[in-house]
Amino acid sequence: MLNKNGIIPLYIQLQNIIRDDILSGKYKQEELIPSENVLSEQYQITRSTVRKAISNLVDNGLLRREHGKGSFVALQKIKYSMWNFGGFTDFLKKQGKIPYSEVIEDEVLKIGGRSYYRMMRARGLKEEHVKLLTLDTSVLPLDLFPDLNSFDFSKNSLYRTLREEYGIFPDRVEVVVSTERCTELTRKLFKMKDDDSLLKVEGTVLSKKGLEIERMSVVYSPDVDFKLITTLE
Amino acid sequence: MLNKNGIIPLYIQLQNIIRDDILSGKYKQEELIPSENVLSEQYQITRSTVRKAISNLVDNGLLRREHGKGSFVALQKIKYSMWNFGGFTDFLKKQGKIPYSEVIEDEVLKIGGRSYYRMMRARGLKEEHVKLLTLDTSVLPLDLFPDLNSFDFSKNSLYRTLREEYGIFPDRVEVVVSTERCTELTRKLFKMKDDDSLLKVEGTVLSKKGLEIERMSVVYSPDVDFKLITTLE
DNA sequence: TAGTGGTCTAGACCACGGT
DNA sequence: CCGTGGTCTAGACCACTAG
């Protein structure tokens, strides 16, 4: 139900309810949601308010209106800023896949008096077999993340740990994209036959305040579609 | 004035009037437009209808609302997240370089009854010699941009033309990044010695509303650092 | 024909910003 | 304080879709 005296606008409350029902799977893809009149009756608010809630969800791409028919749960387009930056695990889980991660190397190292945790992981997803998709190296400053090296990142999501244990949120990345010839390791990991070039992304992950959270380098399997959505501000 | 009995919704009519006043310069950047109450009185329609018109213009990035103050004409920011997407010419000029562009092929083609203008350009900068940096192909729908094929894009900036002649502003890109073996053409253009792989970016340029403005494909010279800055959602 | 979303009216009260 | 945009109500008529 809605809180009519609260500070949160009614259309926002309704919007969140419908959004959660979509994301939780209560309304399935391409399913019809209740009509504006029904919702207006059900929640005891006017149709205008219902429309405002639905309009926002349409703008967000969660719903689609069809005149004379109703409002449908829209097909979920795959949206993410970049493969693997800012949350590989979360991204795959949202797609309903089972993420797989294997720590190949890790160490604590000192550069200029500062301690860093360096970790190389092969990552991918597990279906019948494990399918590896990226080889990535992360370097994180230990003064920002004390005891980070005590987590097992073949089991834990790096970004979830940063959020939940350290309260630090990655905000943006600055990277350079290039091509790289495959090596023995990558050929083995990705089961490559040809001597193809691979896509490589190197750069820095920053917090909202511009704090350097992580330096990383990711080499992508030829099977990965490196998709990218970005605004031109 | 508005046509109250016409087929075009009142909020669309008002929206177009205000849009034209902004683009024609009657309202200047950062200027306050008349308040919702004033517009409602002036055009003899309710405030809701005025709000709908203004909301759409806010969504299009032409206006900005400020609670308690009013609605302002928004500054048209120009920033570039990516090499070449959304304005190669402007980007290079800002760097103090002289852009160079050469149209290699262009044609008008029909796909599914719709007409498109297709253009392949080699682009780069001119110092002592011309240095080519990218080979790119653009496909634009001619119903959105009538007579676009009559411009000479070795001299004119494509994106400036879209903005100034057609009033359409690119907002974001959705692309796939991949690697591609060099061809005869690219080896010649970029004066490559080795048989390296090149970086290729293919995708769509969209307006704020999600309108598809352009399909493009860009192949980068090995001398280009493909830098990328993007926010995580 | 019944139900849906699309548009529009004529009000109301509120929170915010500047005087 | 007044004017601004933000939210909300309670209606109305229309155009579209489907049985």
Side-chain angles (χ1 to χ4, degrees):
Chain A
M1 271 301 113
L2 307 182
N3 176 3
K4 294 219 180 193
N5 303 314
I7 189 181
I8 300 169
L10 296 173
Y11 72 88
I12 296 278
Q13 295 183 50
L14 176 57
Q15 189 180 321
N16 288 338
I17 291 175
I18 299 175
R19 194 231 309 129
D20 291 344
D21 283 347
I22 292 172
L23 295 180
S24 76
K26 187 178 155 192
Y27 299 139
K28 313 246 182 287
Q29 303 239 327
E30 291 302 290
E31 188 180 332
L32 208 50
I33 70 165
S35 77
E36 297 176 354
N37 281 317
V38 169
L39 289 169
S40 140
E41 174 71 20
Q42 179 179 341
Y43 290 100
Q44 290 295 300
I45 54 182
T46 54
R47 204 184 132 209
S48 312
T49 306
V50 173
R51 271 186 76 73
K52 173 103 178 164
I54 293 182
S55 296
N56 286 344
L57 292 168
V58 169
D59 288 342
N60 287 331
L62 287 177
L63 292 178
R64 167 174 45 84
R65 282 196 175 106
E66 291 193 26
H67 198 167
K69 293 195 195 169
S71 298
F72 297 81
V73 176
L75 273 176
Q76 279 298 343
K77 282 188 238 157
I78 304 173
K79 272 200 192 173
Y80 40 89
S81 301
M82 289 172 72
W83 250 94
N84 203 352
F85 282 86
F88 178 85
T89 311
D90 293 342
F91 171 70
L92 280 186
K93 276 189 181 165
K94 262 189 230 169
Q95 308 274 101
K97 314 269 192 189
I98 303 167
Y100 173 82
S101 196
E102 181 183 334
V103 177
I104 294 182
E105 283 178 29
D106 76 324
E107 59 171 336
V108 173
L109 58 135
K110 276 214 160 112
I111 307 172
R114 235 180 140 191
S115 285
Y116 294 87
Y117 178 56
R118 176 179 163 283
M119 167 171 67
M120 189 191 286
R121 293 185 291 182
R123 319 176 74 190
L125 46 86
K126 191 159 36 178
E127 290 169 334
E128 292 156 40
H129 305 289
V130 169
K131 178 158 190 55
L132 292 178
L133 299 175
T134 74
L135 173 66
D136 54 74
T137 306
S138 297
V139 179
L140 302 109
L142 279 172
D143 48 5
L144 261 183
F145 311 108
D147 294 319
L148 185 68
N149 47 322
S150 64
F151 291 90
D152 177 357
F153 290 110
S154 60
K155 295 191 181 64
N156 295 292
S157 156
L158 173 61
Y159 283 86
R160 188 142 45 84
T161 306
L162 298 189
R163 284 200 305 271
E164 293 175 4
E165 302 289 331
Y166 300 94
I168 289 189
F169 295 81
D171 178 61
R172 60 181 199 281
V173 295
E174 300 187 7
V175 299
V176 175
V177 185
S178 57
T179 64
E180 187 179 67
R181 278 201 195 286
C182 61
T183 63
E184 255 182 73
L185 177 61
T186 50
R187 189 160 35 229
K188 204 182 99 198
L189 288 175
F190 300 143
K191 292 171 183 145
M192 294 167 63
K193 285 165 193 149
D194 305 324
D195 213 37
D196 275 339
S197 281
L198 298 173
L199 207 57
K200 183 183 186 179
V201 177
E202 291 173 291
T204 309
V205 180
L206 302 158
S207 74
K208 201 123 200 164
K209 309 217 165 176
L211 206 60
E212 192 175 300
I213 295 179
E214 180 191 13
R215 297 242 177 144
M216 70 176 331
S217 134
V218 184
V219 178
Y220 292 84
S221 150
D223 298 334
V224 173
D225 250 9
F226 185 84
K227 275 194 198 168
L228 177 63
I229 300 182
T230 189
T231 53
L232 300 169
E233 264 174 284
Chain B
M1 271 300 115
L2 306 181
N3 176 2
K4 294 223 182 192
N5 302 314
I7 189 181
I8 300 168
L10 296 173
Y11 71 90
I12 296 278
Q13 296 184 48
L14 177 55
Q15 187 182 323
N16 288 339
I17 290 176
I18 299 175
R19 193 227 318 127
D20 292 344
D21 283 347
I22 292 173
L23 295 178
S24 76
K26 185 176 158 195
Y27 299 138
K28 313 249 183 283
Q29 302 241 322
E30 292 303 288
E31 188 178 333
L32 207 51
I33 69 163
S35 79
E36 297 176 355
N37 281 317
V38 169
L39 288 169
S40 141
E41 173 69 20
Q42 179 179 343
Y43 290 101
Q44 289 295 301
I45 55 182
T46 55
R47 207 186 128 208
S48 312
T49 305
V50 173
R51 272 186 75 73
K52 174 105 180 162
I54 293 183
S55 296
N56 286 345
L57 292 168
V58 168
D59 288 343
N60 283 329
L62 287 177
L63 292 178
R64 167 174 44 84
R65 281 195 173 106
E66 290 192 27
H67 197 166
K69 292 195 196 170
S71 299
F72 298 81
V73 177
L75 268 178
Q76 289 294 347
K77 281 190 236 161
I78 304 174
K79 280 194 202 167
Y80 297 102
S81 309
M82 289 170 72
W83 250 94
N84 202 353
F85 280 86
F88 177 86
T89 310
D90 293 341
F91 174 72
L92 279 185
K93 276 188 181 166
K94 261 195 227 167
Q95 311 271 98
K97 315 269 192 191
I98 303 166
Y100 173 82
S101 195
E102 182 183 332
V103 178
I104 294 181
E105 281 177 35
D106 77 324
E107 58 172 336
V108 173
L109 57 134
K110 276 217 162 108
I111 307 173
R114 235 179 139 192
S115 285
Y116 295 86
Y117 179 54
R118 175 178 164 283
M119 166 171 67
M120 187 191 289
R121 292 186 291 181
R123 319 177 74 191
L125 44 86
K126 190 157 37 176
E127 291 170 333
E128 291 156 39
H129 305 289
V130 169
K131 177 160 190 55
L132 293 179
L133 298 174
T134 74
L135 172 65
D136 53 74
T137 307
S138 298
V139 179
L140 302 110
L142 278 172
D143 47 5
L144 262 184
F145 311 108
D147 293 321
L148 185 69
N149 49 321
S150 63
F151 292 89
D152 177 358
F153 290 110
S154 59
K155 295 192 181 64
N156 295 292
S157 157
L158 174 59
Y159 284 85
R160 188 143 47 83
T161 305
L162 298 190
R163 284 201 304 273
E164 294 176 3
E165 302 290 331
Y166 299 94
I168 288 190
F169 296 81
D171 178 61
R172 62 183 198 280
V173 295
E174 300 188 6
V175 299
V176 175
V177 185
S178 58
T179 64
E180 187 178 69
R181 278 200 195 283
C182 60
T183 63
E184 253 183 74
L185 177 60
T186 51
R187 189 158 37 228
K188 203 181 99 199
L189 288 176
F190 300 143
K191 292 172 184 148
M192 295 167 63
K193 286 163 193 151
D194 305 325
D195 214 35
D196 277 336
S197 280
L198 298 173
L199 207 57
K200 182 182 185 179
V201 177
E202 291 173 290
T204 309
V205 180
L206 303 157
S207 74
K208 200 121 196 164
K209 283 275 178 185
L211 203 62
E212 192 174 300
I213 295 179
E214 179 190 14
R215 297 240 176 148
M216 70 176 330
S217 132
V218 184
V219 177
Y220 291 85
S221 149
D223 299 333
V224 172
D225 251 8
F226 186 82
K227 272 192 201 169
L228 179 60
I229 299 181
T230 189
T231 53
L232 301 169
E233 270 174 282

